[in-house]
Structure formats: structure tokens, C-alpha cells
Amino acid sequence: MSHPTRTSSFAAGARDTLPMMIGAAPFGIIFGTLVASGPLAAWQGQLMSMSVFAGSSQFIAIGLVAAHAGMLVIWFTTFIVNLRHMLYAATLLPHVAHLNARWRLALGFLLTDETFAVMNGYYRRHPDAPLGHWYFLGSGLSMYINWQLWTLVGLLFGAVFPQLQTLGLDFAMVATFIAIVVPQLNNMPRFAAALAAGICAWVFRDLPYKLGLLSAVLAGVTVGISLLHWRAKGDVEREGAA
Amino acid sequence: MSYTWMIIGMALVTAFIKAAIFMLGDRIVFPPLLKEALSFVPVTVLTAIIVPMVLAPHGGGMELTWRNPQLVASIAAVAACAVTRRQLLIIVVGLGVFFGWQLGVLG
């Protein structure tokens, strides 16, 4: 049985997103602190959290600003980094296609890795919940408010301790990315893709406009897909021989 | 001012990506190859960003030495990843080793 009223559905969505909110808190603080110690004004950092609302691309943009990348490169990188949301949206689409345009726009804007994870589980349990979009709104909105709050804490904290950057707090971003990437390297194609991207990023690190980064992503994705297909083909041949 | 434009552009790009599929409805079909390519995007982008930062924290040549706290702390963070999958713990271990190494060992 799904939740009987709009309010209970909304509240359940917020409640089930609570672990994700706690998990996102340190990232919000680190983001705010990085902004406070860089060239962006504090309000611009908050504006980015409010209008972009996509953690990894916000981190990457701050990193690219620090590396003096051009605006077009930052926009293009944002595009590439956030493309995965299209996959999320494509997965959830059957459950929201019946809603009016305003609802679909709002839920699309609120879509994040975390809310996708929550909604994916919810729709698997309740494929026909009539008030599922209120649950979606509860999850997305609580995640949104949470992100604004922790960004603000980081901005204030970073303004109080401006020397954090010289202490090397940018390593927090490196540690954060390691914590995201390494658990995903659990199969050969993804491990090889990351390895190829890392090597390529090092070799081409001095190319202008962060072209080294983009060529590294291209090389990594190509290696990953090639291995995936090569392995799939090997499986078929082995089965044929048996 | 140009940072504000940068942010507005990022917001438009992101909102477009996030909402386009929902707005267009069932009219789009993802080719399988594109789906596969997208699945490799997070690990390759993030790795490509941090590798130069870790290997050459001062922007010069490769610092493959124990005197490079970024390298030492990254190895510790990867090791912490192998032991536990808890993101916050990994970040704490990485930062702890980083600052400990900088102040305690290299001090």
C-alpha cells in the first residue's frame, strides 16, 4: 500500500531521503568552503547551489575556475558531467509521463543521484502509486533545502578561516572524488577506463582550455566500451565452443 | 560578473539535461551504445581531474615521493576505500593523513 494522502506521500519521500541528506552534508560544507577560499563571491556560491543543484559539476566548476579554464569549457564540462541525469530521467519517465508540464519540469530540476536512487527503489515497490509524484517532490525538495543549508554553513565556515585553502583544503575534493570513484572500479572495463583517463589526463595536462581533461574522458570511455564489447564477444565465443 | 554568467550558463545547461527527457516524454529512444558510454562518464571525469592534482600538486613535474602529502594521503584514501565503503570515513581518513603528514612528518 502506498501513502494515502499528498502530505503523507510527501513526508515519506522526505523521510526516506534522510540518509542521503546526511551523506550530502559534508559535500555541501566542503563546496561552500572551497568557494569561500576561491575567487567566487559567497553569494555566487549560494547562487550556484540554488540554480545548478548538481554537486559533482559544482565541484568540477570550482576546480576549473581555479585552473583558469574558459567559460565554454566549464559549460561543456557541466554538460558532460551531468549527462547521466538523462539516463536517470529516462528510467523514471514511465512514472511521471502522465503529469502536467509544470510537475515534470519541477521534478526534472530536482533530480539528483540521491533522489534517483530513492525514487528507483520506491517505484520498484509501488509501480502504480497514484501519489508517487508527491513522494518524488518530498525527496527532491528536502534534498534541495539540505544542499542550500550545508552550502551556507561551508560558506560561513570558509569565510571565518580563509587560510584553509593555503593549508591545502582542496585535497578535500581529491579525497571526495576518491571516495566516489574507487568503489565503482569493481569491474575490469570501468577500472581500465579510469586508468586510461588518468594516464591521458597526465600526459595531456598542459593542453589549453582543459582539452587534456576532455580527451582523457574520451579515451577512458572508448577503452571502457571496447573492453565491455570485447568481453561480451569472448563470452559468446566460449559458449559457442562449449 | 563573468562568474555570474558562468553560473547562469551552468544552471541552464543542467536544467535542460535534467528536464528535457521528462518534458519530451516517450518520444526519445536512447541508443544502447550511448547508454554504455554515459555509464563510464563519472569514473573517467573524476579520475582525470584528480590524477594531475595528486601527481603534481605544484603544477610542475611529477612528485613521486614520500614528501608529497597529496600522494601519500590519496594512497591512504584508496586503502580506506578497499577496507570500507563509507564515503565520509574515507574522506576523514584522507584528510587526516593529509594534514597529519604535512604537519607531523614534513612539519
Side-chain angles (χ1 to χ4, degrees):
Chain A
M1 179 64 196
S2 59
H3 307 279
T5 68
R6 292 172 173 185
T7 320
S8 67
S9 192
F10 181 92
R15 187 195 60 216
D16 293 350
T17 309
L18 197 62
M20 303 291 182
M21 290 161 69
I22 296 168
F27 294 90
I29 296 177
I30 294 167
F31 173 74
T33 311
L34 283 174
V35 168
S37 53
L40 265 68
W43 66 269
Q44 288 172 321
Q46 194 72 55
L47 177 70
M48 199 193 282
S49 278
M50 288 168 71
S51 64
V52 180
F53 187 47
S56 45
S57 63
Q58 292 180 226
F59 272 106
I60 290 165
I62 296 301
L64 288 174
V65 165
H68 306 290
M71 206 179 322
L72 281 177
V73 173
I74 292 175
W75 289 345
F76 186 66
T77 310
T78 304
F79 180 77
I80 298 285
V81 171
N82 285 332
L83 266 180
R84 69 187 187 284
H85 291 94
M86 281 199 168
L87 281 184
Y88 300 161
T91 308
L92 298 179
L93 180 63
H95 304 284
V96 302
H98 67 285
L99 300 170
N100 66 38
R102 209 167 44 174
W103 263 101
R104 279 180 286 149
L105 187 65
L107 295 183
F109 176 77
L110 291 174
L111 197 53
T112 55
D113 302 89
E114 289 85 354
T115 286
F116 170 72
V118 170
M119 290 319 296
N120 205 29
Y122 176 80
Y123 285 133
R124 215 177 296 143
R125 292 192 308 273
H126 308 287
D128 301 310
L131 296 172
H133 51 297
W134 284 94
Y135 184 100
F136 197 148
L137 188 67
S139 171
L141 206 58
S142 59
M143 203 64 206
Y144 184 79
I145 293 166
N146 183 64
W147 185 243
Q148 305 315 319
L149 222 68
W150 293 115
T151 299
L152 186 63
V153 170
L155 286 168
L156 299 174
F157 182 76
V160 175
F161 301 103
Q163 74 274 27
L164 278 174
Q165 183 63 28
T166 52
L167 282 174
L169 199 86
D170 55 339
F171 184 75
M173 188 167 71
V174 175
T176 307
F177 284 6
I178 288 174
I180 294 171
V181 167
V182 174
Q184 293 187 49
L185 305 181
N186 53 4
N187 64 50
M188 188 41 94
R190 246 184 265 153
F191 182 81
L195 190 67
I199 293 170
C200 204
W202 173 258
V203 172
F204 297 121
R205 68 190 182 282
D206 291 327
L207 288 185
Y209 306 114
K210 288 282 155 186
L211 285 172
L213 179 77
L214 299 178
S215 57
V217 173
L218 199 65
V221 169
T222 308
V223 166
I225 289 183
S226 307
L227 269 179
L228 205 62
H229 285 244
W230 178 70
R231 215 168 59 163
K233 197 172 147 232
D235 287 345
V236 170
E237 277 167 6
R238 266 192 298 281
E239 272 168 29
Chain B
M1 190 57 195
S2 80
Y3 288 135
T4 306
W5 284 115
M6 176 194 90
I7 292 164
I8 291 169
M10 285 176 68
L12 290 176
V13 166
T14 308
F16 171 77
I17 292 169
K18 284 181 171 182
I21 304 278
F22 277 7
M23 296 309 284
L24 284 173
D26 316 288
R27 278 164 282 179
I28 330 162
V29 182
F30 275 95
L33 192 64
L34 182 61
K35 279 192 185 179
E36 284 173 7
L38 290 177
S39 73
F40 286 102
V41 164
V43 292
T44 51
V45 172
L46 301 183
T47 305
I49 287 174
I50 61 176
V51 163
M53 289 175 78
V54 170
L55 292 182
H58 298 101
M62 200 186 284
E63 297 178 38
L64 220 54
T65 146
W66 63 273
R67 296 191 60 86
N68 176 354
Q70 305 246 6
L71 183 63
V72 174
S74 294
I75 292 168
V78 171
C81 262
V83 177
T84 171
R85 290 287 136 106
R86 296 172 61 188
Q87 287 196 325
L88 189 53
L89 191 73
I90 295 161
I91 295 166
V92 168
V93 166
L95 277 174
V97 170
F98 178 78
F99 288 115
W101 201 262
Q102 229 176 12
L103 302 172
V105 180
L106 303 174

